[in-house]
Amino acid sequence: MQAYRYTHTVGSKTYGFHDLKDLMAKATPARSGDMLAGVAASSAEQRAVAQMALAELPLTTFLHDALVPYEEDEITRLIMDSHDAAAFAPVSHLTVGDFRNWLLGDEADSAALAALAPGLTPEMAAAVCKIMRNQDLILVAQKCRVVSAFRNTIGLPGRLSTRLQPNHPTDDASGIAASLLDGLLYGSGDAVFGINPATDNVLQVVKLVGMMDDIIRRYEIPTQSCVLTHVTNTLEAIRRGAPVDLVFQSIGGTEATNSSFGVNLALLDEAHSAALSLKRGTVGDNLMYFETGQGSALSANAHHGMDQQTCEARAYAVARRYKPLLVNTVVGFIGPEYLFDGRQIIRAGLEDHFCGKLLGLPMGCDVCYTNHAEADQNDMDVLLTLLGVAGCSFIMGVPGSDDIMLNYQTTSFHDALYARRALGLKPAPEFEAWLHKMQIFTGMEEPGGQFRLNDALPPAFRQALLRLS
């Protein structure tokens, strides 16, 4: 007879779960990636029982029952060694279910949640997430306020920032400049000017970084730039004297996942120190930019039998180490093998945002899907709106929602404008002031006014920006 470490009895029937990661996986809302990995619940009944069992589990369980052995994984070591026992103390007596109730209560205000963040492990955040409804994830995330700063301030209440993403399939300077201009004229770009290079080498990184720096300096735009290249390319660009603002890297929740990306904590430490030495921030020194996504560990065969949402939450421990300016989940980018349809993408986006904010990260989301997923732009409208209500720090801004270089669908400059208008949100304060100075936005100076685009903007600014290419 097989022995089970975790059991739960309903009536006369006892359900068994092999270990903690099996219990976590079975309690996860259904998604295609967990089915592909063979770790998902076999039925809605088993899932419900697993959620009941998980709700009764003490939070302290996660401090002595590692999902990946301490000796085998540097992310586990990071999680355990950096745990703040004093910060954890106020909730240390709670079960996962009691913790959910506490999070939803008035005692868990913004100040309490900020103080608690260093005391939570990613597995605790993932566990409570699994027993929460979408409205719970939204309500708690809205209470979590995480502020970061470099040349402007991201994450303040009542603000929604955007990454201006001017990708081009040939890295054509004129095409990139045109997208930058288009985005700026819709008020996008306060989170970052962030380019995914089509030609990923050091010379191209230096060229693109220099182009964006020229634009930012010439027009005194209070924002930052980033070329989303491998961290080793950014390090070399820094050595060559390139004007690097932010250091980017995709990260995962296990050492093996990060190895598949060609990184480890030591390399990220080196890059963080190198960028800090440049002292390019004006209002803060948060300068790392991380992207994550459910399914990345499984696609690298590096998930150690964990469900993909728990793997994703563990990636946030890596990000938290570096006090980043920006972190976002590229939620629907990997494809329907991991998140099959709009419903699964929406749920995953809310999960990732909740867990990241709860763990103290300035969390954004690339609200996106691939063309072979069972999703469309209406699904993205729903997720965008829900994240706006939940206090998401930033989203993407791409011309026409269609990234012609990466070949996926995301949010446009118009979508960001919709979210700001519908929900009464503004850009980062320093960037908002610049938009008014440049006469791109008007109307906020009026009593009860809401910003509006200035259709009469003089053409000189447009022409001068395009000449920079």
Side-chain angles (χ1 to χ4, degrees):
M1 184 174 181
Q2 187 171 11
Y4 292 99
R5 290 176 59 190
Y6 292 89
T7 62
H8 190 78
T9 301
V10 179
S12 60
K13 186 175 181 179
T14 297
Y15 296 79
F17 304 94
H18 302 298
D19 52 25
L20 183 54
K21 63 185 172 186
D22 183 44
L23 174 61
M24 294 273 281
K26 297 298 188 291
T28 304
R31 63 207 52 194
S32 53
D34 292 336
M35 296 174 190
L36 179 65
V39 301
S42 59
S43 65
E45 178 182 303
Q46 187 185 41
R47 182 175 300 107
V49 172
Q51 290 171 341
M52 293 166 65
L54 187 61
E56 295 178 359
L57 201 69
L59 285 176
T60 52
T61 305
F62 297 100
L63 298 178
H64 56 74
D65 194 347
L67 302 187
V68 185
Y70 183 92
E71 299 77 15
E72 299 176 10
D73 186 86
E74 71 171 356
I75 310 307
T76 299
R77 294 193 290 275
L78 170 65
I79 292 168
M80 295 299 188
D81 295 348
S82 62
H83 180 253
D84 188 331
F88 179 59
V91 298
S92 61
H93 61 292
L94 300 178
T95 65
V96 173
D98 291 334
F99 183 45
R100 171 189 174 272
N101 294 339
W102 182 86
L103 287 171
L104 294 171
D106 293 336
E107 183 181 350
D109 58 16
S110 296
L113 291 169
L116 176 65
L120 296 178
T121 69
E123 292 86 352
M124 294 175 190
V128 74
C129 176
K130 295 176 191 300
I131 62 169
M132 298 175 84
R133 291 173 56 186
N134 287 358
Q135 65 173 246
D136 300 339
L137 301 177
I138 293 167
L139 180 60
V140 176
Q142 187 185 70
K143 295 192 289 184
C144 296
R145 281 294 160 192
V146 183
V147 178
S148 58
F150 189 74
R151 289 202 191 96
N152 57 30
T153 310
I154 308 294
L156 292 169
R159 306 279 175 174
L160 174 65
S161 296
T162 59
R163 168 187 161 192
L164 205 171
Q165 187 171 316
N167 295 343
H168 193 278
T170 63
D171 286 339
D172 177 74
S174 296
I176 291 171
S179 293
L180 284 171
L181 174 59
D182 191 16
L184 286 170
L185 295 179
Y186 280 97
S188 284
D190 51 336
V192 65
F193 294 173
I195 300 176
N196 297 92
T199 306
D200 195 8
N201 59 56
V202 176
L203 289 176
Q204 189 69 1
V205 170
V206 172
K207 177 183 176 182
L208 293 173
V209 166
M211 175 187 175
M212 290 188 288
D213 182 62
D214 192 10
I215 293 171
I216 288 171
R217 285 188 298 106
R218 186 171 302 194
Y219 292 101
E220 300 179 330
I221 308 173
T223 191
Q224 39 281 325
S225 72
C226 183
V227 175
L228 281 70
T229 185
H230 194 270
V231 66
T232 52
N233 287 339
T234 305
L235 265 172
E236 182 57 31
I238 292 173
R239 295 187 187 106
R240 297 187 187 189
V244 171
D245 289 340
L246 306 186
V247 175
F248 169 82
Q249 184 56 48
S250 295
I251 55 173
T254 68
E255 181 178 344
T257 306
N258 289 322
S259 294
S260 76
F261 293 147
V263 299
N264 54 34
L265 295 180
L267 180 59
L268 294 176
D269 288 348
E270 181 184 357
H272 182 240
S273 296
L276 278 175
S277 71
L278 301 180
K279 302 184 185 301
R280 292 180 57 80
T282 56
V283 297
D285 61 1
N286 303 118
L287 49 71
M288 300 295 278
Y289 177 14
F290 295 113
E291 284 191 341
T292 66
Q294 289 193 27
S296 61
L298 176 58
S299 66
N301 194 28
H303 61 298
H304 292 273
M306 289 183 288
D307 66 272
Q308 64 186 41
Q309 189 259 329
T310 300
C311 285
E312 170 74 5
R314 283 171 55 97
Y316 303 153
V318 179
R320 184 165 62 173
R321 175 181 176 90
Y322 302 99
K323 299 180 175 60
L325 179 75
L326 307 167
V327 181
N328 71 265
T329 168
V330 193
V331 64
F333 183 73
I334 302 181
E337 300 86 354
Y338 305 95
L339 295 169
F340 180 73
D341 56 16
R343 179 177 180 179
Q344 292 187 9
I345 292 171
I346 290 167
R347 173 69 190 190
L350 295 177
E351 289 172 347
D352 297 349
H353 178 255
F354 163 83
C355 287
K357 292 286 284 294
L358 190 63
L359 292 168
L361 290 176
M363 200 70 193
C365 183
D366 190 341
V367 179
C368 64
Y369 64 101
T370 58
N371 288 316
H372 62 308
E374 291 294 321
D376 60 24
Q377 213 64 35
N378 286 325
D379 295 313
M380 299 307 101
D381 288 348
V382 171
L383 179 54
L384 170 60
T385 305
L386 295 177
L387 287 170
V389 174
C392 186
S393 292
F394 70 103
I395 59 170
M396 306 300 117
V398 173
S401 303
D402 184 7
D403 191 306
I404 58 174
M405 198 279 281
L406 293 177
N407 195 29
Y408 79 116
Q409 309 303 310
T410 180
T411 44
S412 70
F413 307 137
H414 301 76
D415 295 330
L417 195 61
Y418 146 74
R420 285 171 171 168
R421 282 181 167 170
L423 300 174
L425 303 172
K426 302 178 184 179
E430 301 88 347
F431 193 77
E432 181 194 2
W434 180 84
L435 291 170
H436 285 287
K437 173 185 172 183
M438 298 302 291
Q439 301 177 47
I440 295 172
F441 278 5
T442 62
M444 287 305 298
E445 66 278 3
E446 301 168 7
Q450 186 179 49
F451 66 79
R452 58 179 178 266
L453 298 176
N454 182 6
D455 295 330
L457 182 70
F461 176 64
R462 306 169 188 247
Q463 295 167 1
L465 185 56
L466 287 173
R467 280 199 299 270
L468 289 175
S469 65

